[in-house]
Amino acid sequence: MSTWRHLGRLALRSAWHRRFGLAWVVMSVALSAFLLLMVERVREDVRENFLQSVSGTDLVVGPRTSPVQLLLYAVMRLGHPSHNIAWRSVQALQADPDVAWVIPIALGDSYRGFPVVGTSADYFRHFRYGDQQTLRFQQGQPMADVFDVVLGAEVAERAGHRLGDRLVLAHGDGQLPGTQHADKPFRVVGVLARTGTAVDRSVHILLSGMQALHVDWWAGVPMPGLSVSPEQARQMNLTPSTVTAALVGLHTRTAVFAVQRRVMAAENEPLMAVLPGVVLDELWDMVGSVSQALRVLSTLVAGVSLVGLVAVILTGLEQRRRELAVLRAVGAAPRHLLGLLVLEGTGVSALGVLLGTAVAAGVLALVAPSSQIWWGVTLQPLSLERLPWAWLGGMIAAGMGASMLPAWRAYRLSLADGLSPQGG
């Protein structure tokens, strides 16, 4: 026990003597641990944000198509719907005794590349994202008039709009000439707080507003010789005949499969009802290869750091042959030298992992409160419960394993070789 204590003191003094070289190795291991923690934390938080793009919605109902495609355009506002569903189908959903609320979604128009979402006032009452978070208004209030518009946070920021501004929506993606609804401008009455979801990139109007835009259009073009003013449009019946999809909330989740079966068996038109959480999980599996690539990259960085650890100890070993020989001369057995080198490598790895973890915790503590505003992703601070202990333990174990090679070389050094005059 006394021998090990003396060896420990000698190891500390030796490490202090080589502190500048070892410091770089510690920094290298710390950087690897930092990258591993950040990639793992960001990957997990992005996944949670993605899976919680919509929460509290039990079913997404739309025309028969791929479940992923339905979710992409109804929730993510990506792609284009192949068909619409009849308004009477939405009314049938609203009349279902198991259905608590229905949010109709009508897509197709745009504003400066951002999708225009025709919906109802229930959108602001029932839509949830993240951990059952409701939509909050940064400024203003929901739409009340046919030609009112509420902007997502990103739309308002990029376009520089404020309350009271007037804007002109475009038919479709607005790329073709003559597709602007210039005769029916909308007035900005609200700007939503940032959510980190597709809501930020959406322009919201009432279904009646969407209908008013197209009362004098047919097959995607204005009807020749017909022009309906905004005031005339307000006097018309603006009940939509079709919508793109509907978000459905139930009184109890136990009824979800029964309602899904009833929707799928509807006789008036072919419909589809999907569980958004299941489809989002499938969608994440399709795009999850990027996060796996990041994990592989950070693992490679960790591997390079451990190779550097071996190189530094091996290089130092050649300079320490006399030191090790002296240790043998004062009674240290070969196993003591083996343990000394393994202890040194493990200590350097553990110190690097500890330093990297502390830096990662500090960085996340600083950026987490503002991550939603800056990047649209809610990052969580690092906590003991959220630490990837297996990864960190694996790095320390790998450092211990990497130090075995120089330790084995030290073990084989002979006393006579160490005490021989060096360098001729």
Side-chain angles (χ1 to χ4, degrees):
M1 189 66 180
S2 174
T3 302
W4 281 107
R5 188 166 57 247
H6 288 306
L7 284 174
R9 289 177 182 170
L10 283 173
L12 286 176
R13 290 180 181 179
S14 175
W16 179 253
H17 179 69
R18 295 175 289 112
R19 57 188 179 279
F20 294 110
L22 289 179
W24 283 108
V25 179
V26 170
M27 292 291 291
S28 176
V29 176
L31 180 61
S32 303
F34 173 78
L35 284 176
L36 269 175
L37 287 170
M38 293 300 290
V39 168
E40 194 66 13
R41 190 67 267 137
V42 170
R43 191 182 70 85
E44 285 295 324
D45 286 339
V46 168
R47 182 177 186 275
E48 285 183 18
N49 278 254
F50 181 81
L51 296 182
Q52 294 176 345
S53 298
V54 55
S55 60
T57 296
D58 297 301
L59 289 169
V60 178
V61 177
R64 295 259 176 99
T65 180
S66 159
V68 171
Q69 184 182 4
L70 173 60
L71 201 75
L72 280 177
Y73 67 70
V75 177
M76 303 292 183
R77 319 279 157 73
L78 298 173
H80 301 282
S82 54
H83 300 91
N84 284 341
I85 61 175
W87 181 246
R88 62 177 180 277
S89 296
V90 176
Q91 291 175 311
L93 278 171
Q94 291 170 329
D96 192 301
D98 287 323
V99 172
W101 49 263
V102 176
I103 300 175
I105 301 289
L107 301 169
D109 286 358
S110 65
Y111 174 68
R112 297 188 182 182
F114 296 106
V116 174
V117 181
T119 186
S120 67
D122 285 340
Y123 183 85
F124 302 100
R125 280 196 290 267
H126 298 299
F127 185 85
R128 300 285 188 276
Y129 68 98
D131 189 16
Q132 296 291 324
Q133 294 168 267
T134 59
L135 295 177
R136 293 184 301 104
F137 275 84
Q138 183 181 331
Q139 303 175 53
Q141 57 191 5
M143 303 87 70
D145 183 71
V146 174
F147 296 103
D148 285 348
V149 61
V150 169
L151 305 179
E154 187 173 335
V155 180
E157 183 179 326
R158 289 199 184 183
H161 283 308
R162 298 179 178 177
L163 297 183
D165 285 357
R166 292 192 174 274
L167 49 87
V168 173
L169 307 183
H171 189 80
D173 57 13
Q175 298 295 319
L176 297 175
T179 54
Q180 301 293 315
H181 295 290
D183 59 333
K184 298 181 183 66
F186 279 69
R187 181 173 61 98
V188 178
V189 297
V191 175
L192 292 171
R194 191 171 285 276
T195 64
T197 69
V199 174
D200 297 344
R201 303 183 297 277
S202 301
V203 176
H204 306 86
I205 63 175
L206 290 171
L207 284 173
S208 56
M210 181 72 83
Q211 192 70 11
L213 285 175
H214 301 96
V215 292
D216 47 4
W217 283 56
W218 179 256
V221 294
M223 287 188 279
L226 179 61
S227 177
V228 178
S229 69
E231 290 308 318
Q232 291 173 319
R234 282 192 177 91
Q235 307 306 316
M236 301 173 70
N237 178 14
L238 297 177
T239 303
S241 57
T242 62
V243 295
T244 304
L247 310 182
V248 178
L250 306 178
H251 291 295
T252 60
R253 284 192 59 82
T254 54
V256 66
F257 294 111
V259 175
Q260 186 184 34
R261 282 195 297 273
R262 288 201 288 272
V263 170
M264 303 282 276
E267 295 180 352
N268 55 344
E269 68 174 325
L271 296 176
M272 169 182 281
V274 300
L275 281 68
V278 175
V279 181
L280 282 171
D281 209 22
E282 293 176 0
L283 192 57
W284 177 258
D285 288 340
M286 294 168 61
V287 301
S289 57
V290 176
S291 65
Q292 292 300 329
L294 289 174
R295 177 181 281 180
V296 169
L297 184 62
S298 56
T299 305
L300 288 176
V301 172
V304 170
S305 299
L306 293 177
V307 170
L309 171 65
V310 173
V312 168
I313 295 179
L314 275 175
T315 304
L317 193 60
E318 292 301 320
Q319 301 169 352
R320 298 170 63 194
R321 290 179 66 176
R322 186 171 296 279
E323 172 192 336
L324 297 175
V326 170
L327 291 176
R328 289 287 306 274
V330 297
R335 58 187 173 84
H336 292 139
L337 301 184
L338 178 70
L340 186 67
L341 272 291
V342 171
L343 184 66
E344 182 178 302
T346 306
V348 168
S349 302
L351 189 58
V353 168
L354 188 64
L355 181 62
T357 304
V359 174
V363 169
L364 282 173
L366 284 174
V367 304
S370 304
S371 60
Q372 180 61 249
I373 297 173
W374 293 344
W375 306 304
V377 176
T378 302
L379 296 179
Q380 300 295 332
L382 204 60
S383 62
L384 292 177
E385 295 80 14
R386 301 173 74 91
L387 274 177
W389 291 105
W391 281 92
L392 299 179
M395 283 195 69
I396 297 175
M400 180 188 297
S403 63
M404 292 296 289
L405 177 61
W408 175 252
R409 181 166 173 73
Y411 177 81
R412 294 177 62 84
L413 288 175
S414 68
L415 178 61
D417 179 53
L419 293 176
S420 298
Q422 302 294 310

